[in-house]
Amino acid sequence: MTSGVNGGSVWDILADENFASLVRRDYRHYLSWDELTSSPLPQGMSAKETWDLLFALRRISAVWFPLENPEGVRYGYFLAQDVVNHLRTIEQYCRSHSSLHQAIQEREGRRFLTRSRIQEAIAAIELDGVAIEHRDAGRLLHAGRTPRCADEQLVLNSHELLVELEGLASGPFSPELFTHLYERLTAEVDTGQLVRGTVPHRFFPYPAVSESIGGDPSESLQAICDYANGKTGDPEEPPVIAALAVGEALAFWRPLPDFNNAIAWIAFRLYALKHDYPVLGYLPLLNAGLRWERGELPPGTVRFDFVEDHPFERFPKEADWTPRILTNLELAVAALQTLLGYVEVSDSRDSEIAAFDPSLNHRQLSVVARALRRADAEFRVSYHRVTHNVAYATARADLLDLVEKGYLVKELRGQEFVFTPDPRLGHRMEGVAADKVAHD
């Protein structure tokens, strides 16, 4: 009879109901170390022995990354059912043919895309330890003004890179491409003026330093490119996970002179675009990850409060990356649900306002809706232009037309016109709604 753990029969272990229960649970929902240690264990086996045996089963069907760390440890993941379910959700909503992608390209979805890019541009720079004043950086990007310091120039470059990614999606990954991304990110940035520190993000737990972790950086970069281009690795690997892996590899190996974490997230988005997952590249995943770290997400959004490695005694040169993948996928699905809700509410709201005034375009509908929600809202031509990606003259015409129609009032502050909701707007819309109910 074949010997198992502690000399027991392999068949005895497989027949143990506690072990069978753990395997079933692990197949449906990846079983963490904490969940395992709080569950009944197989007879005669410790938690560590059971943990190793579960991994022995996982590794049979695991997908392994071709890049090892300097200690020769390789990383793989197990396609548990919850991982597969999240991948299916992302497949449904994130491809270019999806209705959600069409909604982002049209009407109010453009506003979400602009806001997401601004959030992610700022967060990406923070990952490399650069101190950023969020309020000032946000105003810089919304207003389209000239940067006044090195960190503002860096944020502006980061945002412009995100906007320009679609133009880079046709070619392969190459060291020259990453050099271009680095040079574009750091253009006109005096790095000596930057205030740097360590940012111990659990969502992206790599140091904010420029030094490579060892070996030849050019070889590491080429290996990452080979993987990103499909020359190495599992040819049937889900593209969503491969996109995450490309970013992780850049952040871990740090082959570029600096800002490897920021460029890692840019590379993630570029990979998503290249493989026809444009919505995945638009989602504010960094912002979602930071909210997870701060405990701001609703309970149940993400299974784990933190991701912690628990090594395997029998497999010291192998590491299970499944918890980290699962957490990233859960954050992506949460961001998708937020976007879906946003689009649904926006469409409903726009339809109501458009029924009242069919002459308003989709950009003006967005302004009127915000004016109705917030009596203290302020609108500027520069902000409207950036948000909706239109010419200055178009943005100015939108707002002046709303003044003429009685939705906004304008006042001159310094050398700039500021538009605010007409004080009578709420009563006007309520009166229209009341008349509609009376006639119905």
Side-chain angles (χ1 to χ4, degrees):
M1 185 68 71
T2 304
S3 295
V5 180
N6 287 335
S9 165
V10 169
W11 300 112
D12 290 340
I13 296 171
L14 294 176
D16 186 289
E17 184 52 38
N18 288 340
F19 184 68
S21 176
L22 293 173
V23 172
R24 285 194 295 269
R25 288 170 58 192
D26 192 49
Y27 172 77
R28 296 186 179 95
H29 304 285
Y30 178 85
L31 198 66
S32 69
W33 169 258
D34 290 340
E35 290 167 336
L36 181 139
T37 54
S38 62
S39 304
L41 300 176
Q43 184 176 2
M45 292 178 62
S46 68
K48 287 187 176 181
E49 290 169 337
T50 306
W51 183 243
D52 275 17
L53 187 54
L54 267 181
F55 181 66
L57 295 178
R58 293 170 182 164
R59 68 191 296 276
I60 294 174
S61 59
V63 179
W64 297 96
F65 299 117
L67 305 175
E68 299 178 349
N69 74 9
E71 288 74 38
V73 176
R74 67 172 183 163
Y75 296 82
Y77 59 91
F78 168 58
L79 286 170
Q81 192 60 48
D82 47 358
V83 173
V84 173
N85 290 342
H86 290 315
L87 289 172
R88 287 173 177 167
T89 299
I90 293 171
E91 175 80 17
Q92 177 182 356
Y93 291 109
C94 291
R95 304 301 290 268
S96 60
H97 57 71
S98 70
S99 59
L100 183 57
H101 181 244
Q102 298 305 315
I104 291 176
Q105 300 304 309
E106 302 169 2
R107 304 181 62 178
E108 186 67 8
R110 300 296 303 180
R111 183 180 178 88
F112 177 92
L113 176 55
T114 299
R115 185 173 62 186
S116 172
R117 282 173 172 164
I118 289 174
Q119 291 174 342
E120 297 296 272
I122 296 171
I125 298 305
E126 288 186 309
L127 286 175
D128 282 290
V130 179
I132 300 291
E133 289 292 338
H134 279 239
R135 190 172 182 179
D136 290 343
R139 287 176 175 173
L140 162 76
L141 297 176
H142 277 301
R145 64 171 172 81
T146 302
R148 296 176 297 196
C149 52
D151 59 282
E152 287 192 352
Q153 183 67 58
L154 196 59
V155 169
L156 177 61
N157 291 350
S158 174
H159 179 260
E160 290 179 345
L161 255 179
L162 292 178
V163 175
E164 297 166 5
L165 282 186
E166 291 185 7
L168 300 173
S170 60
F173 283 96
S174 67
E176 291 75 21
L177 171 62
F178 283 114
T179 298
H180 168 75
L181 294 177
Y182 172 75
E183 291 177 347
R184 182 68 183 83
L185 181 65
T186 57
E188 300 183 41
V189 176
D190 183 354
T191 56
Q193 293 183 1
L194 297 174
V195 178
R196 306 290 288 267
T198 300
V199 185
H201 288 306
R202 286 182 286 125
F203 183 60
F204 218 143
Y206 302 115
V209 296
S210 59
E211 292 83 1
S212 172
I213 63 170
D216 186 342
S218 62
E219 291 183 2
S220 300
L221 189 56
Q222 185 61 58
I224 293 170
C225 291
D226 289 344
Y227 171 68
N229 291 326
K231 294 182 179 180
T232 59
D234 191 324
E236 297 185 6
E237 182 173 19
V240 175
I241 296 180
L244 291 169
V246 168
E248 292 276 354
L250 279 164
F252 179 79
W253 286 97
R254 303 195 292 280
L256 299 169
D258 204 346
F259 303 108
N260 287 275
N261 291 334
I263 293 177
W265 274 97
I266 292 171
F268 160 79
R269 294 170 187 278
L270 182 56
Y271 190 100
L273 284 171
K274 283 176 175 288
H275 290 79
D276 194 36
Y277 287 83
V279 179
L280 182 64
Y282 300 152
L283 295 177
L285 293 183
L286 281 179
N287 186 56
L290 297 178
R291 291 185 62 206
W292 167 63
E293 291 187 7
R294 296 191 295 261
E296 296 174 359
L297 295 180
T301 302
V302 177
R303 280 182 56 195
F304 306 130
D305 292 331
F306 59 92
V307 175
E308 185 175 359
D309 292 331
H310 288 276
F312 306 98
E313 292 185 356
R314 289 177 177 260
F315 306 96
K317 293 293 186 179
E318 295 179 358
D320 190 350
W321 204 49
T322 311
R324 186 154 178 77
I325 288 176
L326 179 58
T327 298
N328 276 278
L329 295 179
E330 288 171 330
L331 289 169
V333 170
L336 269 176
Q337 296 300 332
T338 298
L339 174 54
L340 286 166
Y342 181 89
V343 170
E344 181 180 358
V345 170
S346 297
D347 285 347
S348 174
R349 179 201 65 209
D350 288 357
S351 296
E352 292 177 1
I353 300 174
F356 165 64
D357 188 348
S359 70
L360 300 178
N361 62 47
H362 70 275
R363 300 180 302 275
Q364 292 174 316
L365 290 173
S366 173
V367 171
V368 173
R370 185 162 183 256
L372 286 168
R373 292 196 307 271
R374 295 195 55 174
D376 61 345
E378 294 183 352
F379 306 92
R380 291 172 170 80
V381 175
S382 56
Y383 180 95
H384 190 68
R385 178 186 67 81
V386 172
T387 298
H388 295 284
N389 192 30
V390 294
Y392 183 90
T394 302
R396 183 174 182 273
D398 279 348
L399 297 179
L400 290 176
D401 185 50
L402 290 175
V403 172
E404 184 176 341
K405 291 178 176 178
Y407 295 102
L408 303 177
V409 294
K410 69 174 181 177
E411 60 178 287
L412 185 62
R413 297 184 190 173
Q415 297 181 337
E416 181 182 29
F417 278 113
V418 177
F419 300 80
T420 56
D422 189 300
R424 300 163 295 180
L425 179 59
H427 296 296
R428 179 185 177 193
M429 299 297 288
E430 289 173 4
V432 171
D435 289 344
K436 184 177 184 300
V437 171
H439 284 88
D440 289 345

